[in-house]
Amino acid sequence: MNKFPSKGVVLALRKRYPKGTRVVLVRMNDPYSKLRPGDLGTVDFIDDAASIFCIWDNGSTLGVAYGEDEIRSLDNKGVSD
């Protein structure tokens, strides 16, 4: 992804996924990651590039890249990015 998301997108994601939100990984476009669909984690923070950094239950802290990867909130039933 070559274009950074707008400030509005970042703010909307921060509102949608506040620190502590439990999430499930739907897909990750990273062939080197050990994370797999169905892995669970907790949102730690969202950076200015809209990457959602999670503390995954398997010990990983890999960020979810906006527009490339997908998570679903367990706190807000049926919501995904």
Side-chain angles (χ1 to χ4, degrees):
M1 181 175 201
N2 295 329
K3 186 177 176 186
F4 281 99
S6 69
K7 185 175 181 177
V9 167
V10 173
L11 293 175
L13 285 173
R14 287 178 178 159
K15 183 176 181 181
R16 188 175 190 175
Y17 295 104
K19 182 178 177 106
T21 300
R22 291 289 290 165
V23 295
V24 60
L25 182 66
V26 175
R27 66 180 171 82
M28 180 163 280
N29 190 19
D30 181 346
Y32 303 105
S33 173
K34 293 183 180 180
L35 292 170
R36 297 292 174 249
D39 283 349
L40 301 173
T42 304
V43 173
D44 189 25
F45 69 96
I46 300 174
D47 69 10
D48 291 339
S51 292
I52 303 171
F53 287 87
C54 298
I55 300 169
W56 297 98
D57 291 359
N58 69 2
S60 175
T61 57
L62 189 61
V64 177
Y66 179 77
E68 293 292 321
D69 306 325
E70 183 179 356
I71 59 172
R72 182 173 42 92
S73 172
L74 296 177
D75 298 339
N76 301 320
K77 297 173 182 68
V79 176
S80 64
D81 276 330

